[in-house]
Amino acid sequence: MPPLRALGIDIGSTTAKIVGVDEIGQMTWHLLEQAEPRVEAQVERFLERARQEAGPLDGIPLVATGYGRRLVRQATRQVTEISCHARGIYHEFGHGGTLVDIGGQDSKVIGINPVGKVLDFVMNDKCSAGTGRFLENTANRLQVPLERLGTEALSAVEEFSISSTCTVFAESEVISLIANGVPLAPILRGLHRALVKRIVAMVRIVGLVQPLMLSGGVAQNPAIRRMLEEETSEKVILPRQPQLVGAHGAALIAMENSDL
Ligand code: ADP
């Protein structure tokens, strides 16, 4: 592995990610784990793994981002998720557009200009119904593995509309529909649709600049990708590692600032 030039760490509400880049900004090393309540201990462990697997870290700049970024005391700098996501996606595609990032407990829509600068953004971290948690809760409750949720939803021809606008109430609604004999797949389809409609309302606020790009853990869900395309009539472009875009952007910012 080439020597590390910079590190980026993204402490999300659901997962913690660390990315190492080489001197041309390519991602050469990464780790992703479920986020732990003791952020400091998890970061210490991540850095120890980086030392073991990628070499000494002396003088290597580290930028922290995400919901828990202020707890990363080893960081040279803390930078917002908006800047890091924009930087990461621009590095991958080399153009602007509209980036939708759907994480575990927040979602954001970022308008990016042709040279990678943030034009505008909107973030939802108040209501879980527009985030991955909305799907995660149902998956747990119905004992459907998260990885199968999207495929299951897409297998339905019919779609059952979910009227509750809150995660907790939607969960009860789903349980009572199942108890009343409604098949699972059309309910799941309706749940995915409800999430996507919330996201599309955010896209409309920022204004859609083509192309439409999708990141965050929820980008791995095929029903979300398909429905986002249906609801916007735009093709959705996916980065290679959707969950690592923020951490990659943080590493790139760390590298560029240390050049100054
Ligand atoms: P954060 O950065 O906010 O911690 P992530 O971007 O890591 O969150 O996204 C976590 C969310 O991704 C989970 O809530 C879950 O809904 C979704 N997710 C994670 N893995 C998968 C998968 N294999 N298939 C579908 N969805 C997934």
Side-chain angles (χ1 to χ4, degrees):
M1 192 190 349
L4 284 187
R5 174 63 182 79
L7 284 165
I9 192 158
D10 177 2
I11 306 293
S13 61
T14 308
T15 61
K17 297 75 88 174
I18 183 166
V19 162
V21 293
D22 63 14
E23 77 283 357
I24 55 163
Q26 299 218 67
M27 193 188 305
T28 51
W29 179 83
H30 76 270
L31 285 176
L32 184 153
E33 288 180 0
Q34 289 305 300
E36 292 175 9
R38 294 190 54 225
V39 173
E40 293 89 344
Q42 187 164 28
V43 171
E44 210 36 76
R45 225 184 35 249
F46 270 11
L47 295 177
E48 192 44 47
R49 284 275 299 276
R51 274 183 211 101
Q52 285 166 8
E53 294 172 19
L57 301 185
D58 311 311
I60 305 272
L62 166 68
V63 161
T65 190
Y67 161 90
R69 64 182 178 274
R70 290 191 185 80
L71 296 169
V72 184
R73 57 176 173 74
Q74 300 90 336
T76 337
R77 250 180 93 195
Q78 279 105 9
V79 176
T80 68
E81 290 122 284
I82 304 297
S83 301
C84 290
H85 273 82
R87 188 66 197 88
I89 205 81
Y90 181 72
H91 183 270
E92 176 142 357
F93 293 129
H95 56 63
T98 304
L99 174 63
V100 172
D101 178 86
I102 316 177
Q105 229 164 272
D106 67 45
S107 41
K108 35 195 173 287
V109 176
I110 312 173
I112 302 169
N113 81 4
V115 290
K117 296 278 167 280
V118 174
L119 290 170
D120 198 3
F121 71 92
V122 60
M123 182 155 171
N124 159 37
D125 56 5
K126 301 280 181 285
C127 166
S128 64
T131 72
R133 190 55 52 86
F134 187 63
L135 299 176
E136 235 181 296
N137 272 25
T138 317
N140 287 342
R141 195 67 196 267
L142 300 178
Q143 299 181 321
V144 179
L146 194 55
E147 309 72 51
R148 277 209 12 243
L149 212 58
T151 324
E152 194 68 33
L154 288 177
S155 73
V157 180
E158 283 185 84
E159 186 169 309
F160 206 94
S161 166
I162 303 294
S163 59
S164 306
T165 51
C166 150
T167 304
V168 178
F169 291 166
E171 198 180 311
S172 317
E173 190 178 341
V174 167
I175 302 298
S176 86
L177 287 170
I178 303 257
N180 283 308
V182 179
L184 180 64
I187 299 176
L188 289 179
R189 212 180 154 94
L191 262 181
H192 283 74
R193 182 76 61 189
L195 195 157
V196 168
K197 286 199 160 156
R198 288 195 178 90
I199 298 293
V200 171
M202 290 167 66
V203 172
R204 304 267 178 254
I205 293 171
V206 172
L208 203 156
V209 181
Q210 290 170 316
L212 188 57
M213 303 169 280
L214 181 63
S215 67
V218 178
Q220 297 169 93
N221 181 315
I224 296 294
R225 297 198 299 263
R226 170 91 62 87
M227 289 182 190
L228 196 53
E229 292 187 330
E230 286 170 6
E231 295 291 325
T232 58
S233 308
E234 291 290 336
K235 187 165 173 19
V236 167
I237 305 180
L238 278 189
R240 275 182 297 262
Q241 308 242 45
Q243 240 168 332
L244 300 177
V245 171
H248 188 195
L252 293 166
I253 292 174
M255 180 173 99
E256 285 149 12
N257 281 335
S258 73
D259 284 342
L260 298 176

